[in-house]
């Protein structure tokens, strides 16, 4: 029943968005069409469209700079060019998996080229994998509720169908694909980590988190949890991926760039973000204080940060 209620709430909110956008501009055909497209259920249709390059353009800009001059400062892209490459050097190991002939920043910026097409394909797979893993997590959890009384097949089919619908209409999951974020891949890894934990494979779960830490070190907080809770197999899996990946990254890009990343994190914590995609406390405060543009990126510098604010 809670799944039915969730879908009902989703439908009511979607209808409210539709009516609000329609009434705001008058009931024209074009306005109604735009209002329908803005609702969460309609967003799944956009999975077939090409995504943007929110993560990929800054990452590839930094990667190409390093290819052109291996001795250059990797984060000159961030501090000098003001391009939002906010990830550690280890995140760029992803591009080493692609043929060098596919690495073309110009094509990526124009949303064309073999690398962009491949990234879009992998992004769709990651979205599907996240939803599928979530469905399996739900099914496993429901089965644990009544281990001695298996659910009838129609009930199982209904729960799977409803959870698929909920997953495919979850806007925060889909928007990562639309704007071209590496977070889509991290979402899939996190969903798999939970699934592996549920089915009793903590080592594999830790390995998924270890891979996430190579892109966003903040996920390393879960390492503290695993140590405090004495989840040794989970810890082994996480460290078993994180340390070799970090060693490869240092050998590939140099220790100086990894230490330089600390300056990037310090700067990010100082100014933060105002754009509405950012849902951190920092982002909420910047919008509350009207510090920076919340609705539109700067037309002059699309990756511009809000000014420093003492609050």
């Amino acid at each position: 029943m809670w799944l039915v209620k969730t879908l009902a709430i989703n439908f009511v909110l979607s209808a409210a968005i539709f009516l609000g956008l329609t009434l705001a501009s008058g009931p024209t055909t074009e306005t109604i069409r735009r209002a329908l497209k803005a609702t969460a259920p309609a967003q799944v249709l956009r999975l077939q469209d090409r995504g943007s390059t929110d993560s990929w353009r800054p990452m590839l800009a930094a990667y190409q700079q390093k290819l052109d001059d291996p001795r250059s400062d990797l984060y000159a892209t961030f501090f000098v060019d003001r391009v939002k490459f906010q990830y550690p050097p280890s995140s760029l190991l992803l591009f080493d998996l692609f043929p060098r002939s596919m690495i073309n920043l110009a094509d990526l910026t124009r949303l064309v080229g073999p690398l962009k097409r491949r990234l879009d394909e992998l992004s769709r797979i990651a979205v599907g994998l996240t939803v599928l893993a979530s469905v399996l997590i739900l099914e496993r959890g429901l089965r644990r509720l009544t281990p001695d009384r298996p659910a009838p097949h129609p009930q199982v089919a209904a729960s799977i169908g409803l959870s698929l619908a909920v997953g495919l209409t979850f806007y925060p999951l889909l928007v990562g694909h639309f704007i071209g974020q590496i977070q889509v891949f991290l979402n899939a890894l996190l969903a798999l980590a939970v699934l592996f934990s549920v089915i009793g494979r903590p080592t594999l779960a830790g390995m998924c988190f270890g891979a996430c830490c190579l892109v966003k070190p903040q996920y390393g907080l879960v390492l503290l949890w695993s140590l405090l809770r004495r989840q040794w197999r989970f810890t082994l899996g996480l460290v078993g991926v994180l340390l070799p990946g970090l060693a490869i990254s240092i050998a590939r890009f140099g220790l100086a760039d990894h230490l330089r990343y600390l300056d990037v994190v310090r700067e990010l914590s100082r100014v933060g973000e105002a754009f509405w995609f950012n849902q951190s406390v920092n982002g909420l405060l910047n919008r509350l204080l009207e510090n920076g543009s919340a609705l539109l990126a700067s037309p002059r510098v699309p990756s511009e940060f809000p000014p420093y604010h003492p609050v």
Side-chain angles (χ1 to χ4, degrees):
M1 286 305 299
W2 70 266
L3 276 172
V4 175
K5 293 175 182 177
T6 301
L7 277 181
I9 292 172
N10 194 351
F11 175 79
V12 170
L13 293 177
S14 297
I17 294 172
F18 166 70
L19 291 174
L21 292 175
T22 301
L23 296 175
S25 304
T28 64
T29 303
E30 180 60 28
T31 302
I32 292 175
R33 185 181 295 112
R34 289 175 58 195
L36 281 172
K37 287 182 178 179
T39 58
Q43 297 297 313
V44 69
L45 300 176
R46 294 181 59 190
L47 283 174
Q48 61 185 341
D49 299 337
R50 287 182 298 193
S52 189
T53 58
D54 184 68
S55 290
W56 308 124
R57 186 181 65 85
M59 291 176 67
L60 193 55
Y63 186 77
Q64 276 202 329
Q65 173 191 310
K66 207 64 177 176
L67 288 181
D68 295 339
D69 184 4
R71 293 176 296 181
S72 64
D73 177 9
L74 182 62
Y75 291 102
T77 304
F78 180 88
F79 288 105
V80 178
D81 301 331
R82 304 304 290 174
V83 173
K84 287 187 177 178
F85 174 52
Q86 306 176 38
Y87 307 115
S90 53
S91 64
L92 299 181
L93 294 175
L94 174 68
F95 289 123
D96 283 344
L97 303 178
F98 295 96
R100 189 64 56 86
S101 59
M102 294 177 65
I103 306 298
N104 190 325
L105 180 60
D107 286 348
L108 191 71
T109 303
R110 293 196 299 266
L111 304 184
V112 297
L115 177 61
K116 184 63 178 61
R117 289 193 295 270
R118 185 66 53 83
L119 288 172
D120 284 344
E121 292 169 359
L122 293 174
S123 180
R124 294 187 191 98
I125 292 173
V127 169
L129 192 60
T130 303
V131 175
L132 179 60
S134 302
V135 170
L136 295 175
I137 292 166
L138 172 68
E139 181 55 32
R140 187 80 175 198
L142 293 177
R143 196 183 307 170
R144 283 182 175 181
L145 293 177
T146 55
D148 301 327
R149 183 167 50 87
H153 293 301
Q155 182 177 329
V156 173
S159 65
I160 291 176
L162 287 172
S163 54
L164 278 172
V166 170
L168 289 174
T169 57
F170 187 54
Y171 185 78
L173 175 63
L174 300 178
V175 75
H177 169 75
F178 307 151
I179 64 177
Q181 281 195 338
I182 196 173
Q183 184 64 45
V184 174
F185 296 92
L186 304 184
N187 290 340
L189 286 170
L190 295 172
L192 287 174
V194 176
L195 177 61
F196 288 140
S197 295
V198 168
I199 65 176
R201 296 289 187 273
T203 305
L204 292 176
M207 292 174 68
C208 291
F209 264 98
C212 289
C213 290
L214 292 174
V215 178
K216 291 189 175 181
Q218 297 90 330
Y219 285 118
L221 284 172
V222 80
L223 178 60
L224 298 178
W225 165 84
S226 67
L227 293 172
L228 290 172
R229 297 300 297 270
R230 299 180 181 179
Q231 299 288 328
W232 306 127
R233 291 167 61 190
F234 181 96
T235 303
L236 180 63
L238 192 156
V239 174
V241 170
L242 177 59
L243 291 185
L246 185 60
I248 294 172
S249 179
I250 292 174
R252 176 76 172 79
F253 301 108
L255 180 60
D257 284 331
H258 289 76
L259 297 177
R260 180 71 161 151
Y261 180 64
L262 298 176
D263 295 329
V264 175
V265 175
R266 188 178 299 111
E267 178 67 11
L268 290 174
S269 66
R270 192 179 74 89
V271 296
E273 182 60 272
F275 196 54
W276 72 273
F277 279 146
N278 186 293
Q279 293 296 307
S280 67
V281 173
N282 180 291
L284 294 173
L285 277 175
N286 271 323
R287 290 191 289 277
L288 180 66
L289 297 167
E290 298 184 354
N291 186 43
S293 175
L295 297 179
L296 296 173
S298 167
R300 181 176 59 84
V301 185
S303 55
E304 193 173 77
F305 290 99
Y308 171 74
H309 194 289
V311 174

